């Protein structure tokens, strides 16, 4: 059994760790509220621009815009992987990596190229057999629309130059504070269901023409899709880290309880041994 002083040092060390995890939980909770608010504010715009693009694209031919044209022979696929820059957030990053590797296994006949958004994506996948086109590893849990535009423009440029035939985003979809789902979203070529003509369908007169309007809106739609995916990922990261730190603090409390019990047993054993030594010494003197 470890000595009393050794156990006491362990208890102190675990208590210090528990203080750190509790502080990190509080920081993540505050950041998550801000990230969730930013994501919620952006969701209305995301839904509206998707509805707008879908409405226009449903009234034009598929070959009216290069971002709508599907390639007949898909050889090169680009995956934009969104993870965090930091760890200590449970399975948040590993779920995205697993989703990426599963996609690669299902598409072994294709050449997979990566755009890593977040340091962990590059750390996990940058040294594997994939080709890394771009890496963005300095966001630190924050993203501006202009920064997202830069990434979106890169995705569009690679697609239009035919360096890649498809573009997908792999990220954690924010469901709740404690629940995020890793998903793969196809971004390019954009697949939108053609609207069926019904009695309730509203017909619009577009000025300029629908094709010209779609050409202007499509890049903005792609950029905002990237921006909203990163906002979801940031909110999910802080939520996952908050839960992970809460679990760590609870586990530390359980370890402290066990160590305290062990400490009490060791101290009681030491006291008992000292009493026995005193009694044995006294009997030896009286004998």
């Amino acid at each position: 059994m470890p000595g009393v002083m050794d156990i006491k040092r362990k208890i102190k060390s675990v208590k210090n760790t528990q203080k750190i995890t509790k502080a990190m939980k509080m920081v993540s909770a505050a950041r998550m509220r801000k990230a969730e608010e930013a994501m919620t504010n952006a969701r209305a715009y995301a839904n509206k621009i998707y509805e707008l693009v879908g409405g226009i694209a449903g009234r034009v031919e598929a070959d009216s815009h290069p971002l709508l044209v599907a390639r007949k022979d898909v050889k090169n696929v680009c995956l934009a992987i969104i993870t965090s820059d930091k760890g200590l957030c449970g399975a948040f990053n590993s779920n995205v990596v697993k989703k990426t590797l599963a996609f690669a296994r299902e598409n072994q006949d294709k050449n997979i190229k990566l755009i890593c958004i977040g340091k962990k994506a590059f750390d996990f996948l940058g040294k594997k057999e994939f080709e890394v086109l771009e890496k963005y590893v300095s966001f630190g849990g924050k993203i501006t629309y202009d920064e997202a535009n830069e990434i979106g423009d890169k995705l569009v440029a690679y697609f239009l130059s035919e360096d890649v035939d498809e573009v997908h985003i792999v990220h954690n979809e924010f469901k709740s504070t404690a629940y995020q789902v890793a998903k793969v979203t196809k971004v390019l070529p954009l697949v939108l269901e053609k609207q069926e003509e019904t009695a309730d369908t509203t017909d619009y007169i577009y000025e300029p023409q629908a094709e010209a309007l779609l050409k202007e809106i499509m890049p903005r739609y792609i950029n905002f899709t990237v921006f909203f995916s990163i906002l979801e990922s940031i909110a999910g990261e802080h939520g996952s880290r908050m839960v992970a730190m809460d679990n760590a603090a609870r586990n530390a409390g359980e370890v402290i309880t066990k160590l305290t019990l062990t400490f009490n047993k060791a101290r009681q054993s030491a006291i008992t041994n000292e009493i026995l030594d005193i009694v044995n010494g006294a009997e030896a003197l009286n004998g």
Side-chain angles (χ1 to χ4, degrees), residues 229-266:
S229 298
I230 298 176
L231 287 180
E232 273 195 309
S233 182
I234 291 173
E237 174 195 347
H238 293 310
S240 183
R241 182 174 290 111
M242 184 182 73
V243 173
M245 292 301 100
D246 181 60
N247 291 335
R250 291 175 184 273
N251 293 337
E254 294 177 2
V255 172
I256 290 171
T257 300
K258 292 179 181 179
L259 286 175
T260 301
L261 181 61
T262 304
F263 172 78
N264 292 335
K265 288 181 179 180

Side-chain angles (χ1 to χ4, degrees), residues 76-264:
N76 299 304
V77 177
C78 175
L79 297 180
I81 317 298
I82 303 175
T83 59
S84 67
D85 286 337
K86 300 178 181 179
L88 297 177
C89 48
F92 178 83
N93 293 313
S94 60
N95 287 340
V96 174
V97 173
K98 290 177 182 177
K99 198 72 175 179
T100 302
L101 296 177
F103 182 92
R105 286 193 297 269
E106 294 170 0
N107 297 271
Q108 294 182 1
D109 58 328
K110 300 178 178 64
N111 183 27
I112 306 297
K113 301 182 180 183
L114 304 182
I115 291 181
C116 298
I117 306 170
K119 187 175 183 295
K120 292 301 179 180
F122 183 74
D123 289 345
F124 283 127
L125 300 170
K127 297 180 180 179
K128 292 188 178 293
E129 66 276 11
F130 306 113
E131 178 184 354
V132 178
L133 299 175
E134 305 283 344
K135 62 177 181 179
Y136 302 88
V137 296
S138 58
F139 288 125
K142 296 180 181 179
I143 184 70
T144 64
Y145 185 64
D146 290 338
E147 291 170 331
N149 281 354
E150 180 184 346
I151 300 173
D153 291 341
K154 286 284 187 181
L155 296 179
V156 172
Y158 280 118
F159 182 77
L160 293 179
S161 64
E162 298 187 359
D163 288 339
V164 297
D165 302 311
E166 287 183 357
V167 177
H168 301 258
I169 294 178
V170 187
H171 74 293
N172 278 300
E173 182 181 13
F174 185 88
K175 295 292 186 180
S176 67
T177 301
Y179 183 52
Q180 298 87 33
V181 179
K183 62 180 293 189
V184 179
T185 303
K186 186 177 181 180
V187 179
L188 293 171
L190 187 63
V191 179
L192 296 169
E193 297 182 359
K194 198 172 183 64
Q195 292 187 351
E196 297 180 359
E197 295 294 334
T198 62
D200 297 331
T201 301
T202 303
D203 192 16
Y204 296 96
I205 299 175
Y206 292 100
E207 179 61 38
Q209 294 296 319
E211 290 80 1
L213 191 60
L214 187 65
K215 182 179 180 180
E216 179 68 24
I217 293 178
M218 277 293 293
R220 299 187 184 186
Y221 170 78
I222 300 300
N223 291 342
F224 198 83
T225 299
V226 174
F227 179 59
F228 187 73
S229 298
I230 298 176
L231 287 180
E232 273 195 309
S233 182
I234 291 173
E237 174 195 347
H238 293 310
S240 183
R241 182 174 290 111
M242 184 182 73
V243 173
M245 292 301 100
D246 181 60
N247 291 335
R250 291 175 184 273
N251 293 337
E254 294 177 2
V255 172
I256 290 171
T257 300
K258 292 179 181 179
L259 286 175
T260 301
L261 181 61
T262 304
F263 172 78
N264 292 335

